[in-house]
């Protein structure tokens, strides 16, 4: 308590619950944050760059690294076989004869998968050397759709996963079959939840070092946890856990879950450090992050409900197909099972059937993303509740209210095993309806519709889990398999309080912040216990596994900071305070239960003037340990380990309490859809939260706003798009759209607090809830506006067009239909140019390797294999990417000198392509030849990921440069050269957008 003890003011407002200024902000706002790329490295540190597969599925035929090894500054070039010799397979998330390497070994399984790595004196030299690696592939069929991936004829990614299915488990809770058989009404919905990902400002970063004398690794990485991955890493690096020191930097530029996915790169860089004998640093670029970090899972769910006439849901039947991408990396399939204990959400539903299938496809492996399984579950469950209201012609609020867990039922055990700790969902809903202005919003909708506008209201009620039970993932195993493996459960948190010789207090926790304000909140918590101010407390939020107390549950994930980590800091501070009270009581000649801490003093509650400065009592163990009363022990340091007893292993019937505590959220919103553009606009958004005890109100609201903003992206803009061959199509922010401040309207945030009986501070998690509730709330509003049963995220105007305007009319008879474009990967174009040469001369130039080498942009060499067959090596840059390509061109349909067809393919580190074009030559006056060309091409790999916004223009520019080069070559020294070439170049500039 922040009191003046001398004045006896022993009761004052606690620091916890106040929105004090954040300790972190002065450094961050003045540019003095210390992120991983700001931290100095040892002399001799090397830098890594990664060659990534342009194919989603292919056999690696050969990798020629000879030229790269000879490049300037290169210390090593490592391929999959090199890494395999230094490491062991990463742990796979299920029991299966499948290997999982951090780099492709023999076969690539997703576009962007590492194929080789260059380690050089600088990142620039490493990137240059990457271009010199000649990797050759034999493309294989790709599987993109998780349902089709299970077809008998689908291409197989791993021999150990029959039909690409890593797991297929069915569960039954209660007695759902007769409920469905007897139900008067069954309502079902099938949804496809898309892939999206979190995009922190700071990407992955690793600095790794190997000590051959100690046979140990020292790694600095912006890894967030869970530190169960430490065991995965040490096993992969083939060292005991105490030979892998894993450290984190002081600051992290955001994560939202995805920083968990850096761990395969920790293995890669550690292996590179061992191979080279020098430290190795790697910082991921943005294109790498979008293409190949981790994304949320996409899921296909069919959910059925047996429903009574009054809207009461009697039973649920879940059928979930989870797409985890190319590799089932730890902790997957955790996304699917994190919500297993609360598949009934906020509702009292006692009978549940579940089938869970985990599927692999030729897409980026999945991992932690904000919400972690919640968005996928609640999009299905809350869309179903809306459909029940529509089909029964009842108010959605009535249907939600009728099914909520009763207020007097807490702690409430769900059918599938979760123990919902506390709450009053009906009161929260009623307050949201009243304080959020639902009556006025209904009137606004009615008026809008009367005016012919498209307006809808959506609702959602969700339970937000926090503090994951480390054993929930074992629900993927059968009870017999779990017994054989041994029990796994709990959520151990650690905190250490230290007092220095001058009485200064320091706090260390095993949680890695990514902007949540750990240092501020921990200072508040400890200051309240010890009677100090937050400014008196110094908090170290870095983590060092070689020095700090930690456990496999450590890390910053599953919204565990406030309920578990801050609570454990309180426990440690209270234990230390108890010993300090005994020491103070001896000096103040009173009893220990008469001692209080406030205002920087330790004093008698009965006689506040009988006091001593906190610093004097706190420092006794340093300066005069012999003066401490017998039996107290030291008062210098206290480390607390805490795990809640409510988190038990799954039982033999597969009931599991997946998380420790469960907040409640009730959202509603009004959305208007523009009749012309069909762009949805959020008109009003209300979000009610019960997250237990609120430790710092401003930061809680900040967490709500952050989750809400990300959820708007998931609802309206963001989607990882893949072509049928697995090429990634959204690799830049031009194609993977994120909401900005302009697209995020201010929500009305409401709170109520029902403390959790299971956490030391009564708090629950709050950081992920709106990522779970907001996408489906907006979708329900759009469905209400349009009167449709099925709706798919993201809610793009193009997807809404058919619902509003009907199917597109067929083209009139005789009209040429537009070309079908697969994703944004097909390119086509045509144009003309004039060259100061006869058709015979231009024809000869087209067949001359020397001329072609001179006119093809970025060409290094052209080799003539036969009269109609050429190969070339070129370097081309398009937008943010630049790479070296190997091209093969074959001429056909030769009509000398009037026309020729060119067909060919290109392949390189950044992508691949194939195409065909026809060039015709027609003589004009004054020895000029009119050249006309038309081409069709298709591209894939990294080049495809920059999207259609750049590709068509870039293709036209490159082709224009070829013909401009032909004009220059043909001009010779004739007097007419300048005018003709200038004219040709002028037309080319006009044709290709005016660029030089």
């Amino acid at each position: 308590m922040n009191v003046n003890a001398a004045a006896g003011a022993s009761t004052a407002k606690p620091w916890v619950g106040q929105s004090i200024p954040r300790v972190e902000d002065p450094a961050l706002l003045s540019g003095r944050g210390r992120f991983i790329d700001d931290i100095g490295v040892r002399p001799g540190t090397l830098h890594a760059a990664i060659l990534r597969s342009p194919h989603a599925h292919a056999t690696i035929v050969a990798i020629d690294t000879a030229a790269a090894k000879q490049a300037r500054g290169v210390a090593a070039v490592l391929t999959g076989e090199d890494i395999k010799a230094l490491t062991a397979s990463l742990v796979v998330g299920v029991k299966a004869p499948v290997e999982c390497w951090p780099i492709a070994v023999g076969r690539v399984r997703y576009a962007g998968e590492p194929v080789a790595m260059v380690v050089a004196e600088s990142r620039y030299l490493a990137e240059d050397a990457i271009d010199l690696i000649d990797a050759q592939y034999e493309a294989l069929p790709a599987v993109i759709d998780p349902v089709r991936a299970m077809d008998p004829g689908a291409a197989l990614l791993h021999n150990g996963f029959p039909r690409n299915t890593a797991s297929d488990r069915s569960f039954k809770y209660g007695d759902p079959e007769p409920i469905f058989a007897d139900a008067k009404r069954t309502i079902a919905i099938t949804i496809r939840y898309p892939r999206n990902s979190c995009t922190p400002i700071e990407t992955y970063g690793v600095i790794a070092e190997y000590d051959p004398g100690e046979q140990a690794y020292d790694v600095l990485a912006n890894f967030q946890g869970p530190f169960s991955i430490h065991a995965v890493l040490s096993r992969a690096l083939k060292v005991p856990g105490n030979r892998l020191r894993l450290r984190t930097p002081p600051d992290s530029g955001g994560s939202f879950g995805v920083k968990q996915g850096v761990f395969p790169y920790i293995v890669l860089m550690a292996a590179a450090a061992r191979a080279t004998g020098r430290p190795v640093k790697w910082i991921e670029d943005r294109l790498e992050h979008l293409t190949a970090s981790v994304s949320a899972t996409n899921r296909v769910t069919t959910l059925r409900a047996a429903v009574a006439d009054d809207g009461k849901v009697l039973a649920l039947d879940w059928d979930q197909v989870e797409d985890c991408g190319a590799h089932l990396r730890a902790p997957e399939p955790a996304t699917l099972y994190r919500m297993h204990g609360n598949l009934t959400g906020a509702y009292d539903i006692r009978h549940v059937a579940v089938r869970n299938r985990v599927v692999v496809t030729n897409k980026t492996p999945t991992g932690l993303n904000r919400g972690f399984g919640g968005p996928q579950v609640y999009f299905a469950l809350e869309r179903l509740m809306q459909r029940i209201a529509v089909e029964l012609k009842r108010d959605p609020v009535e249907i939600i209210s009728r099914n909520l867990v009763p207020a007097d039922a807490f702690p409430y055990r769900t059918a599938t095993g979760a123990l919902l700790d506390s709450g009053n969902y009906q009161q929260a809903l009623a307050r949201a309806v009243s304080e959020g202005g639902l009556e006025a919003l209904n009137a606004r909708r009615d008026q809008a519709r009367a005016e012919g506008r498209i307006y809808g209201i959506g609702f959602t009620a969700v339970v937000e889990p926090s503090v994951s039970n480390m054993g929930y993932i074992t629900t993927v195993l059968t009870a017999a398999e779990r017994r054989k493996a041994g029990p796994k459960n709990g959520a151990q948190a650690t905190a250490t309080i230290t007092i220095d010789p001058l009485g200064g207090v320091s706090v260390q926790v095993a949680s890695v912040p990514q902007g949540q304000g750990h240092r501020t909140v921990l200072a508040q918590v400890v200051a309240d216990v010890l009677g100090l101010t937050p400014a008196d407390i110094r908090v170290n939020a870095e983590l060092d596994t070689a020095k700090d107390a930690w456990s496999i549950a450590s890390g910053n994930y599953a919204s565990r900071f406030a309920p578990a980590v801050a609570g454990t800091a309180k426990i440690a501070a209270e234990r230390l305070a108890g010993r300090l009270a005994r020491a103070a009581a001896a000096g103040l000649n009173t009893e220990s239960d008469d001692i209080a801490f406030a205002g920087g003093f330790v004093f008698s509650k009965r006689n506040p003037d009988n006091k001593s400065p906190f610093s004097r009592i706190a420092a006794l163990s340093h300066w005069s340990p012999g003066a401490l009363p017998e039996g107290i022990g030291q008062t210098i340091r206290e480390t607390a380990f805490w795990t809640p007893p409510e988190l038990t292993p799954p039982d033999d019937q597969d009931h599991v309490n997946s998380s420790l505590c469960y907040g409640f959220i009730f959202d509603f919103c009004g959305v208007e859809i523009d009749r012309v553009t069909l762009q949805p606009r959020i008109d009003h958004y209300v979000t009610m939260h019960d997250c237990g005890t609120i430790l710092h109100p401003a930061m809680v609201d900040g967490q709500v706003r952050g989750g809400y903003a990300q959820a708007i992206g998931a609802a309206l803009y963001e989607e990882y798009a893949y072509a049928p061959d697995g090429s990634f199509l959204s690799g830049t922010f031009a194609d993977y759209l994120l909401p900005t401040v302009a697209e995020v309207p201010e929500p009305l945030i409401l709170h109520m607090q029902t403390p959790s009986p299971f956490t030391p501070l009564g708090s629950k998690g709050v950081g992920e809830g709106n990522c779970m509730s907001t996408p489906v709330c907006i979708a329900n509003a759009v469905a209400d506006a349009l009167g449709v049963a099925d709706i798919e995220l993201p809610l793009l105007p193009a997807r809404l067009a058919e619902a509003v305007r009907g199917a597109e009319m067929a083209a009139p008879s005789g009209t040429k239909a537009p070309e079908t474009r697969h994703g944004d990967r097909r390119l086509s174009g045509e144009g003309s140019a004039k060259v100061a040469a006869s058709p015979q001369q231009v024809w000869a130039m087209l067949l001359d390797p020397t001329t072609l080498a001179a006119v093809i942009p970025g060409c290094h060499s052209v080799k003539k294999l036969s009269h109609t067959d050429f190969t070339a090596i070129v370097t081309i840059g398009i937008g943010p990417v630049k790479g070296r390509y190997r091209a093969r061109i074959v001429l056909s349909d030769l009509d000398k000198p009037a026309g020729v067809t060119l067909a060919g393919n290109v392949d390189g580190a950044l992508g691949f392509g194939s195409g065909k074009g026809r060039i015709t030559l027609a003589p004009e006056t004054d020895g000029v030849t009119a050249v006309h060309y038309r081409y069709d091409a298709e591209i894939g790999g990294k080049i495809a990921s920059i999207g259609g916004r750049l590709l068509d223009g870039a293709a036209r520019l490159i082709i224009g440069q070829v013909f401009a080069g032909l004009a220059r070559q043909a001009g010779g020294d004739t007097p007419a050269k300048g005018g003709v070439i200038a004219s040709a170049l002028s037309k080319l500039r006009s044709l290709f957008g005016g660029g030089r």
Side-chain angles (χ1 to χ4, degrees), residues 448-806:
R449 289 179 173 178
E451 295 170 357
R453 290 148 54 201
I454 306 172
Y455 198 106
I457 299 177
F459 303 88
T460 187
V462 310
V463 164
E464 178 180 4
S466 53
V467 190
S468 288
N469 181 351
M470 293 301 291
Y472 76 81
I473 184 57
T474 63
T475 315
V476 73
L477 305 176
T478 65
E481 289 171 329
R482 291 196 295 267
R483 284 191 293 271
K484 184 177 180 181
K488 292 179 176 60
N489 65 288
Q492 189 158 253
T494 66
T496 299
I497 312 292
T498 305
I499 296 177
D500 66 30
L502 297 179
V505 179
S506 297
V507 182
Q508 169 69 48
V509 293
S511 184
V512 183
Q514 283 96 38
Q516 296 93 337
H518 282 28
R519 293 171 58 202
T520 302
V521 173
L522 290 168
Q524 290 176 278
V525 170
V526 175
D528 276 343
V529 175
L530 299 180
L532 304 173
T533 70
D536 297 323
I537 314 296
R538 187 175 190 276
V539 178
N540 183 354
E542 300 169 64
L543 181 56
D544 184 338
T545 60
K547 296 180 178 180
D548 300 324
W550 62 282
S551 131
I552 62 167
S554 297
N556 186 19
Y557 60 97
S559 295
R560 71 194 307 271
F561 170 70
V565 177
T568 306
K570 179 177 185 285
I571 292 171
E574 288 174 337
R575 291 178 184 173
L576 201 56
R579 296 202 295 275
L580 288 170
R582 291 177 61 191
L588 299 177
N589 196 27
T590 186
E591 300 83 25
S592 60
D593 59 4
D594 180 42
I595 294 296
F597 297 82
F601 288 88
V602 183
F603 59 94
S604 165
K605 299 174 187 175
R606 292 190 294 266
N607 179 17
D609 289 333
N610 184 18
K611 64 184 179 181
S612 178
F614 173 86
S615 58
R616 182 170 181 175
I617 300 297
L620 275 176
S621 274
H622 287 284
W623 296 107
S624 187
L628 292 172
E630 187 177 349
I632 288 181
Q634 55 81 30
T635 59
I636 294 174
R637 185 183 184 96
E638 176 64 31
T639 297
F641 292 83
W642 175 80
T643 190
E646 292 80 13
L647 296 184
T648 55
D651 65 20
D652 285 353
Q653 290 74 45
D654 296 310
H655 296 92
V656 60
N657 186 21
S658 322
S659 301
L660 173 65
C661 42
Y662 300 84
F664 176 71
I665 304 172
F666 177 72
D667 288 0
F668 65 88
C669 67
V671 173
E672 182 170 3
I673 301 171
D674 188 281
R675 277 203 176 274
V676 177
T677 66
L678 300 179
Q679 179 67 52
R681 179 185 63 84
I682 300 170
D683 183 47
H684 184 63
Y685 199 100
V686 176
T687 181
M688 162 62 80
H689 285 256
D690 181 354
C691 62
T693 303
I694 293 176
L695 306 184
H696 190 293
M699 281 197 275
V700 165
D701 280 4
Q703 289 293 312
V704 171
R705 282 187 172 84
Y708 167 71
Q710 286 190 280
I712 287 176
L716 301 179
Y717 303 104
E718 300 179 39
E719 182 179 16
Y720 268 25
Y722 292 85
D725 67 356
S727 292
F728 184 58
L729 302 178
S730 43
T732 73
F733 287 144
D735 292 278
Y736 187 79
L737 300 182
L738 298 175
T740 68
V741 169
E743 288 81 41
V744 181
E746 181 74 7
L748 174 60
I749 302 173
L750 304 173
H751 293 286
M752 62 178 282
Q753 300 183 54
T754 54
S756 172
F758 300 156
T759 67
L761 289 161
S763 55
K764 310 176 186 182
V766 72
E768 302 177 88
N770 280 94
C771 283
M772 304 178 188
S773 64
T774 296
V776 67
C777 188
I778 295 172
N780 280 341
V782 171
D784 178 54
L786 301 179
V788 297
D790 298 320
I791 203 154
E792 187 175 340
L793 297 184
L795 300 166
L796 304 174
R799 285 184 174 153
L800 303 181
E802 188 167 335
V804 175
R805 298 168 179 162

Side-chain angles (χ1 to χ4, degrees), residues 856-873:
I856 295 175
C859 185
H860 300 283
S861 64
V862 175
K863 183 178 180 181
K864 187 173 183 177
L865 303 180
S866 72
H867 183 61
T868 57
D869 196 353
F870 300 82
T871 62
I873 303 295

